Amino acid sequence: MENPTKQLVSKFNELYIQTRSKYLVQFQNGKYITLSYAPDNKVTKFNDSMINTHLKGDLTYGVFAGGHFSKFITFDVDCANEGLSRWIALKLVLVLETEYEISRKDIHVSYSGGKGYHVDLFFTEQIKVEELKAFHRSVLVSVGSLPEGQIEFRPSWSQGVKIPLGVHQKTDNRCWFVDNETLEPLVEDASYDYLLSVEPMPAETITDTDFGLTDEQITEFETIVASTDITVNAVDLSKALQNAGRIIETGRLTASGTRHKTTFTLACFGNTQGWEEDETVGVIMDIMLATPREYFSEGSTPEYWLKEAERLVKYVFDNDITLKSSDKALTIYKSEILAVLSCGTFRQKQLAYAMLVTSKRYGNIFYLTVNTAMKMIGTTSRETVQNAIKKLVESGFITYHRKGELDKARSFEIGQVRYKPNKYKLAFEKPAEGEKAVQVTSNQSIIEVALMLCDVKEVRKYVKQYEFDNRWKAYVTG
């Protein structure tokens, strides 16, 4: 086979080229530089001639994803030990095949030219980079801890990846494709024939999202974004918190094609809230099972949702990933704090105040597990919390939005009776217009907030003498 050919160049364009305005060039010292085209500079856009140069081995090029979308993902196996790199690459391929049901013919491995490997997946449609990153994180959970090295995500807008079949400019090794079962190199014509045989797989293999955009529309979109402000790709964690609260209050997905993103967000939310892992999985499955089936892609099953929920929750909890808000100040009204002060013992008041803050931050309908409540009020007694919740219901501070509902699907899955987490809703009257109010943050206690809104005489109407002496007096006299 003649090398290079128009067919090879065309295949590179089909599979790898997302943006022509930004690319990598590797020189003989092995170092890369990034070149970015702009109308007012002398940088040339990435073009077919450069792919020809790459195939000849004169220079080596790499590509970037768009700022938001990519049509392929590379798992970059980076390890100083070549033998260990082989082991990691083979394990990664096995995980993709057995746990993600990706056919071997859709898993493409190439030699990096040094001591590592690139494992590529190509898709028929553009996928959001953030979703590809989430998929990458999920796969790493399944691969497990590595004795050395790492499996890096490529490409993004900020981190490019070398395209195969070129020459590593430092080692002078050709970056051939390799057999994905033995990692034996497919030399010369075998690698060229291999590249021409590659067919992208359906995007729904790893995502439920369909943006309905053509490649041309996405290219136009990426061009506009790149020329304005690429930082719009940054995650707004405050928005993620609000979204999690809205989904919990609604009780189901609020948009189609958001299963994976919602699962990860709720996993982070659960860890932020101090839920246990199985409780978090239960909340996620509760949301999924209550969502109309048309919100999911064809063939998406509850068994798969559960598997993904357990995998992502474990990853989030093992790595202690949380959603940090900006701790925006909340408005607390005097009638609300008086309702809190009416709730029995100090522990019960503490829990009532925690529920009030939770409802303001995440939504009027909210989950609260016993374990979370124990952490909220600083007790190790489940009985204290259970009694406090019972008292708050009896006093009319909260009502059950859902109580004691058997989780049939979860119970069947694990072979034990499991109940869905209870949901609560604030039940007292809303503040009147113009009522006295203060702005508070999470580091202010119930006592501090109460004394900002009420004088001591008002507080003592709701607080018994021993509670006042033990809990309040130091704040009043100090």
Side-chain angles (χ1 to χ4, degrees), residues 80-91:
N81 183 307
E82 188 170 354
L84 191 55
S85 288
R86 289 176 60 84
W87 178 82
I88 294 170
L90 289 170
K91 183 176 183 181

Side-chain angles (χ1 to χ4, degrees), residues 336 352 355-357 359-360 364-366 396-399 424-428:
E336 292 173 334
M355 286 182 161
L356 174 65
V357 170
S359 71
K360 286 180 177 289
N364 196 41
I365 297 171
F366 52 91
F397 186 84
I398 56 171
T399 58
Y424 302 92
K425 183 178 181 180
L426 297 184
F428 54 88

Side-chain angles (χ1 to χ4, degrees), residues 14-31:
E14 175 193 348
L15 298 176
Y16 287 99
I17 311 306
Q18 178 70 50
T19 177
R20 296 185 183 277
S21 64
K22 186 177 182 181
Y23 53 95
L24 293 171
V25 185
Q26 186 189 39
F27 293 97
Q28 288 186 347
N29 61 3
K31 300 295 184 182

Side-chain angles (χ1 to χ4, degrees), residues 62-81:
V63 297
F64 291 85
H68 286 258
F69 295 93
S70 182
K71 54 188 176 185
F72 78 100
I73 179 175
T74 295
F75 295 85
D76 184 1
V77 178
D78 184 16
C79 185
N81 183 307

Side-chain angles (χ1 to χ4, degrees), residues 264-277 280 312-324 372 375:
F264 186 74
T265 299
L266 290 177
C268 297
F269 184 82
N271 191 35
T272 302
Q273 293 296 94
W275 297 348
E276 299 297 325
E277 288 188 37
T280 306
L312 286 173
V313 167
K314 186 176 188 307
Y315 176 81
V316 164
F317 277 66
D318 285 351
N319 292 277
D320 196 26
I321 301 173
T322 57
L323 295 174
K324 300 295 185 184
T372 300
K375 294 172 184 175

